[in-house]
Amino acid sequence: MDMPASPVWQEQLFLGSWKSGDGDQINVVEPATGAVISKLKIATAGDVERAATIARDTQTAWAMVPFDQKAEILRKAAALLKERANEINDWNTRECGSVGPKADWELQATYEQAQMAAALPMQPNGEIFPSNMPGKRNYWKRVPIGTVGVIAPWNFPILLAMRSVFPALAMGNAVILKPDPKSSICGGALMAQILSDAGLPEGVFHVLPGGPEVGQALVEHPLVKMISFTGSTAVGRKIGETCGRTLKKAALELGGNNAQVVLEDADLDIASSCGAWGAFLHQGQICMQTGRHLVHTSVAEEYLSRLASRAENLACGNPAQEQVHQGPLINGVQAKRVEDIVNRSVEMGARIVTGGKRHGNYYEPTVITDVTSNMPVFSEEVFGPVAPVMTFDSDSEACELVNESPYGLAAAIHSGSTERALKIANRIQVGMIHINDQTVNNEFQVPFGGMGSSGNSGRFGGPANIEEFTTSQWISVMEEGIQYPF
Ligand code: NAD
């Protein structure tokens, strides 16, 4: 891809329209090569103030725009996503190390989010409740929250930003998006251009690339009435604390350490294929990644050997130059973190079956066994291409191992008996469970979200979006005025 010589995001911020900002300019580094592929203007706390003020001043008018016009803008945005697919996918690959099919899937998923959001403004937005007072009508309706702050991570930066941005806009809110600086072009600047070109009124949507300081300023700002955050549990906890203190709504979609349970009556060819996909897709940098492979002792050797041979067949390299299954991790810090977790686990007695080596920002698809639950590879969210395998001897033990993790995002259960798998599903504290499939599952019409340390019960998708991005208002009407005792 030829990178544009001097794109607008190098010098300007999208504060409802492109404007100059006071913040620093940083290098955008390609994880696959270490090359500087662009520059990026970073926002400051002062820009949060500017954006919040503009958003407050434009949100009410946006909320009043008729539903069919809102829907038209969102449909146009969806169409532009498809029209600009090559440009967006190229940036996703160069900026984030995504392989082509991952970039394609993410774009299609974002398109679905836009289309689904376009259908929201025409949904019924209230109910009429009875009253015990004669002549009184109780109207109850959904209303916008005001300005919604969206904070997104770098792993699926387009989808995980826009799954909040589109429905929040559809429900009449203004939105300030803070993408991660590692993914702010595809996950921020390009989306600003799309919404602007789709006809979204100026001032309603803002993109403020920046790190924790900008995020904190957004969370603290009194004009921002809700935070929709996707990211790590540690940061989510801090944001939740601030939102509690400032009394704002917080939707927190956090980390995971997801188990795939393989019972002795499972189809091991399918289970190992699901295990490999769930563990190695996008270099394992997915919240729903299969981070714990729990296998019945009697089939563990067979599962391990099938999983290892699938891992060994994966091609790794620069996804911008060759067709590979796996690209680089997002940067050296993440790659070294994965290496450290594996090495510490090996020191504690784990055995590498295949992989286990870092090459710069790349980490080999790794299968590791003799794992115990006190090892970091089992207890921590690795966020890398590592598949730790552990054994169990009974369904109860499998449930205990799944529930041992404080996270509860996704799980998979493989068994020849659906009834047996369903019994296990009913005993585990996990938000999304897939029987005879893998953990990285996302269907946009089905509410998505985790339990425990994976979130605070916010849900994305389908009917959940209406409730998530609105508050409610009760308006009562007395046909004739009423006299009270005094
Ligand atoms: P992160 O928590 O470090 O960062 C996420 C976002 O928060 C970034 O934009 C970052 O700049 C911002 N941020 C960091 N500190 C902040 C602070 N103090 N205040 C406000 N904002 C702050 O997470 P990450 O490393 O970018 O992403 C990986 C994590 O995200 C993993 O734990 C993964 O499981 C999780 N994740 C969850 C989901 C989900 O849907 N549940 C999806 C994808 C990723």
Side-chain angles (χ1 to χ4, degrees):
M1 174 181 48
D2 291 330
M3 297 298 181
S6 185
V8 65
W9 58 75
Q10 296 204 357
E11 306 289 343
Q12 298 192 331
L13 294 171
F14 193 79
L15 292 157
S17 58
W18 291 100
K19 294 189 169 69
S20 59
D22 305 328
D24 295 337
Q25 194 186 48
I26 62 163
N27 289 334
V28 176
V29 177
E30 182 177 41
T33 61
V36 174
I37 51 172
S38 188
K39 305 267 179 192
L40 175 74
K41 190 74 170 169
I42 290 289
T44 62
D47 296 317
V48 173
E49 177 66 37
R50 288 164 76 197
T53 307
I54 298 169
R56 190 251 338 254
D57 294 344
T58 51
Q59 183 266 325
T60 313
W62 168 242
M64 306 284 279
V65 167
F67 77 89
D68 51 340
Q69 290 177 32
K70 286 198 191 87
E72 185 61 24
I73 291 167
L74 290 162
R75 280 195 295 267
K76 174 84 176 145
L80 288 173
L81 283 167
K82 290 236 156 154
E83 264 175 42
R84 298 178 189 175
N86 286 344
E87 182 195 13
I88 297 168
N89 287 351
D90 280 348
W91 277 108
N92 199 342
T93 294
R94 298 288 305 272
E95 193 182 17
C96 306
S98 304
V99 299
K102 181 266 188 188
D104 274 341
W105 181 87
E106 184 171 3
L107 187 77
Q108 177 64 26
T110 309
Y111 169 84
E112 307 281 359
Q113 294 286 346
Q115 289 286 14
M116 214 166 55
L120 289 181
M122 66 187 80
Q123 299 300 313
N125 72 342
E127 291 172 46
I128 296 173
F129 284 77
S131 171
N132 57 7
M133 308 271 284
K136 182 173 177 181
R137 274 169 284 159
N138 287 320
Y139 297 107
W140 180 85
K141 60 173 182 162
R142 290 259 154 220
V143 293
I145 292 170
T147 296
V148 175
V150 175
I151 301 179
W154 47 262
N155 60 334
F156 279 70
I158 309 171
L159 174 63
L160 300 181
M162 303 317 282
R163 75 176 177 181
S164 294
V165 170
F166 287 139
L169 291 173
M171 300 317 295
N173 302 285
V175 177
I176 303 174
L177 166 65
K178 192 212 77 63
D180 190 291
K182 297 187 278 300
S183 53
S184 287
I185 298 175
C186 64
L190 299 185
M191 298 302 113
Q193 288 179 329
I194 280 186
L195 278 165
S196 171
D197 294 348
L200 188 71
E202 198 173 315
V204 175
F205 179 55
H206 304 250
V207 178
L208 301 180
E213 332 66 57
V214 182
Q216 274 164 14
L218 188 64
V219 177
E220 289 276 358
H221 202 286
L223 292 177
V224 176
K225 305 297 184 190
M226 174 188 177
I227 295 294
S228 178
F229 171 79
T230 303
S232 64
T233 297
V235 172
R237 237 181 256 287
K238 281 192 210 156
I239 290 177
E241 283 168 12
T242 308
C243 289
R245 177 166 49 76
T246 54
L247 300 179
K248 60 183 76 174
K249 187 170 181 178
L252 306 173
E253 285 295 334
L254 310 177
N257 189 359
N258 313 288
Q260 166 161 294
V261 176
V262 182
L263 301 176
E264 73 280 10
D265 59 357
D267 179 326
L268 293 184
D269 196 40
I270 287 178
S272 61
S273 170
C274 289
W277 181 267
F280 304 129
L281 187 67
H282 196 40
Q283 298 78 262
Q285 303 169 115
I286 305 181
C287 55
M288 296 167 280
Q289 186 229 14
T290 313
R292 297 180 295 152
H293 300 239
L294 309 177
V295 188
H296 193 275
T297 308
S298 63
V299 292
E301 275 310 310
E302 181 65 24
Y303 179 82
L304 204 56
S305 118
R306 287 175 187 246
L307 186 64
S309 100
R310 290 183 189 279
E312 282 156 13
N313 282 333
L314 296 179
C316 304
N318 180 349
Q321 286 178 358
E322 45 187 333
Q323 226 183 10
V324 287
H325 300 101
Q326 255 199 210
L329 276 83
I330 190 72
N331 59 22
V333 175
Q334 278 299 116
K336 285 180 190 148
R337 189 181 156 273
V338 173
E339 181 180 42
D340 177 60
I341 289 176
V342 171
N343 289 350
R344 280 191 287 133
S345 301
V346 169
E347 278 163 23
M348 292 170 76
R351 178 169 58 88
I352 290 171
V353 181
T354 187
K357 289 200 184 61
R358 180 176 67 82
H359 309 274
N361 289 353
Y362 295 82
Y363 198 82
E364 293 173 352
T366 297
V367 177
I368 181 164
T369 188
D370 296 342
V371 171
T372 52
S373 54
N374 60 338
M375 293 178 183
V377 79
F378 182 90
S379 60
E380 291 181 28
E381 182 186 31
V382 179
F383 228 56
V386 179
V389 178
M390 221 176 137
T391 57
F392 63 84
D393 291 308
S394 68
D395 293 8
S396 292
E397 196 188 344
C399 293
E400 279 164 27
L401 283 171
V402 174
N403 289 335
E404 205 168 294
S405 169
Y407 294 108
L409 191 58
I413 305 166
H414 286 262
S415 171
S417 159
T418 308
E419 283 311 308
R420 190 176 164 197
L422 278 169
K423 278 191 190 139
I424 292 179
N426 289 332
R427 290 171 66 187
I428 60 179
Q429 279 92 53
V430 173
M432 300 176 288
I433 302 166
H434 308 291
I435 293 173
N436 295 331
D437 198 348
Q438 46 80 42
T439 56
V440 186
N441 247 290
N442 189 355
E443 288 192 43
F444 320 106
Q445 70 286 9
V446 187
F448 173 108
M451 295 178 178
S453 296
S454 294
N456 67 343
S457 293
R459 291 291 181 264
F460 286 106
N465 283 345
I466 295 183
E467 190 172 330
E468 202 63 62
F469 295 104
T470 54
T471 183
S472 71
Q473 197 171 45
W474 170 27
I475 299 178
S476 77
V477 180
M478 285 296 292
E479 274 165 23
E480 286 173 26
I482 180 167
Q483 288 277 1
Y484 283 91
F486 56 85

